[in-house]
Amino acid sequence: MSDLTDMVAFRTDASTRLGIGHVMRCLALADRLTSIAIMSIFFCRELPEALKGRLERHGHRVHLFGDASTPAGEVAEIAQAIRELPNRPKTLVCDHYERDGTWQARLRDVVERLVVIDDLANRSHDCDLLVDPSVDRRPEDYSGLVPGEAIVLTGTRFAMLRPEFALLREQTTVEAAATVRSPPSRIVVSMGGSDEPNATGYVLTALDALEPAIRDTLHIDVVVGGGCPHVPKLREQADRLGLNITLHVDTEDLADILASSDLAFGASGGSSWERCCLGVPTITLVLADNQRYIAERLAGHGAVINLGTWPDISHESIRAAFLSLHGNTAALAEMRTAALAICDGQGTRRVVEAIVGYRMTSGQAIALRPALADDAETLFRFQSAPGARAHSRNPEPPSWEGHCAWFARRLSQSCSPFYMVMAGDVVVGMVRLDRRSADEEEYEVSILIDPAWHGQGLGLASLRLLRLRHPGLQIVANVSPKNRASQAVFRRAGYVKVSPDWYELRANSPGIGKRGAS
């Protein structure tokens, strides 16, 4: 990767006691930040070795606390570590149930911006931005718990998933009715990354007691985290039981596994949004107090069957719930439809856009919106401004007739993204991707900012916002060697120089798949 000059810090933990959901949603954010050339560093006290390795494989730095034995000591250690970094983070994201506003306030002198991820709404926070992705959560639930000027984003529109979930959802949504298979034969059992009580093994024992005529039709994908203490026991159980079981440990293919499933048994934590995104009907178990709210809300929406709270769940209730759906095509279809309506998989992009917080010095938010037919005249004015095309391959401005014909033709190409750059409600530029050929999965980026708005960071913001919307595409840019300002902008956006006048943004940034746009 090229000159990574920006950085975001995360404070989060994972363990058998805490689970791994906090780290996993921060990892989704960090991967998206990497795709727009923003580095991440994770400050952790508890972190399974397998999960630490995963963070590092994705290109993120990990700082494990040493002498700091108290929350106050953590702040001093974070401050020292940040001072020693060549790229000092200006933003810190705190995703931790055991840290509140008192701890966060101590960091005001360390970073410029504090972001909190929460899903409890039960304690105060000192932050500039708070994100709670819980279903049916409302900003007013945090009234009096955050500063009055803090931005509060709530609801599953902000559920932080990896990009492959949104990509697979596109297929799932179109084929939702046709892909309800009944009776269900492909089952996923996933109780979170740690599964302290071994609810996974308990569910498997219950399913093993089904009558052979049903049991023998099932293929069960068991998904556990690398830090799960029960992996040896689960391997032995998989060999011993009469079930057809595939055990997946610390897999990065969960989206594919869920997309091919007919039904899931799952804990009602953050992984609920992954199942909803792909429309997987779920029989859910509450394994921790903080999961109760999610389970009750999802059951109210009809997306899950809620078995209740561990350990007050019996083998009989597990089998009864399964048999109530076995062969019940209408119930499975209703659950799938309800689940799909809850989460669209775009939350990570929305949260990263909020974290980065692109704004003009005057306060206007910078954003992208799809180009419309009415934008033709505005773009023609930008193209015709003196000096606007000085570094273009064709420096001559187009005729009005030629521009209108090109614009109409370009709007009809739905496979090639085309956006207007907005500063508040004002159109200030254009950015688009053109597929280079029908048999080549590569796109060329073109960007044009109104000369009246030059020098305000709009180019860099536009390129990063474009990448957030399309994290899996391979993109190239033609940049004149004479245009040093544009060269610097593309480098900061993560592009790598591959020849004197060509730059490349590779599709295989850490944590980003090659599935296309999202």
Side-chain angles (χ1 to χ4, degrees), residues 41-56:
I41 180 169
F42 282 72
F43 289 94
C44 303
R45 180 178 301 281
E46 299 180 84
L47 191 67
E49 189 61 33
L51 194 49
K52 177 177 181 289
R54 188 168 183 174
L55 293 175
E56 292 173 338

Side-chain angles (χ1 to χ4, degrees), residues 230-474:
H230 308 295
V231 171
K233 187 183 299 184
L234 289 171
R235 291 192 192 280
E236 181 275 329
Q237 189 178 21
D239 292 337
R240 174 171 46 83
L241 297 180
L243 295 164
N244 179 11
I245 296 173
T246 301
L247 180 61
H248 306 268
V249 180
D250 200 29
T251 181
E252 299 202 28
D253 297 324
L254 179 58
D256 289 311
I257 294 169
L258 285 173
S260 64
S261 68
D262 307 318
L263 179 68
F265 286 85
S268 51
S271 57
S272 298
W273 318 132
E274 297 170 341
R275 296 189 292 268
C276 285
C277 178
L278 297 179
V280 182
T282 300
I283 299 170
T284 195
L285 294 74
V286 176
L287 302 184
D289 287 342
N290 62 289
Q291 297 178 2
R292 194 186 310 271
Y293 174 89
I294 296 174
E296 292 172 353
R297 294 288 177 164
L298 290 178
H301 282 270
V304 306
I305 294 176
N306 180 14
L307 290 181
T309 303
W310 184 270
D312 301 324
I313 299 170
S314 67
H315 287 140
E316 290 73 20
S317 66
I318 291 172
R319 286 191 292 271
F322 175 78
L323 292 172
S324 73
L325 297 174
H326 192 265
N328 193 340
T329 305
L332 287 168
E334 289 173 3
M335 291 176 73
R336 178 182 286 272
T337 300
L340 285 168
I342 287 169
C343 179
D344 66 2
Q346 297 288 343
T348 304
R349 171 181 61 79
R350 297 184 182 110
V351 175
V352 168
E353 287 180 357
I355 288 174
V356 173
Y358 288 117
R359 289 185 176 273
M360 309 290 293
T361 54
S362 56
Q364 298 131 304
I366 304 171
L368 302 182
R369 68 155 171 80
L372 305 172
D374 291 346
D375 293 318
E377 185 174 352
T378 301
L379 185 55
F380 180 73
R381 176 167 52 84
F382 295 164
Q383 297 268 24
S384 304
R389 301 178 62 89
H391 297 292
S392 300
R393 275 176 289 188
N394 179 9
E396 295 298 320
S399 67
W400 170 244
E401 294 76 13
H403 172 79
C404 288
W406 168 84
F407 194 85
R409 187 170 61 252
R410 186 60 182 74
L411 280 184
S412 69
Q413 299 172 1
S414 57
C415 62
S416 295
F418 187 8
Y419 300 100
M420 305 308 290
V421 182
M422 308 294 295
D425 296 328
V426 180
V427 178
V428 296
M430 172 278 299
V431 62
R432 71 177 195 268
L433 293 173
D434 295 300
R435 193 167 179 176
R436 302 196 76 192
S437 65
D439 58 350
E440 190 175 12
E441 289 293 330
E442 186 174 79
Y443 293 75
E444 181 177 351
V445 63
S446 296
I447 184 169
L448 176 64
I449 302 298
D450 180 357
W453 292 77
H454 281 186
Q456 301 190 56
L458 285 161
L460 176 61
S462 300
L463 291 174
R464 284 179 165 172
L465 290 169
L466 181 72
R467 186 53 163 181
L468 286 174
R469 290 175 180 262
H470 305 281
L473 296 185
Q474 181 148 326

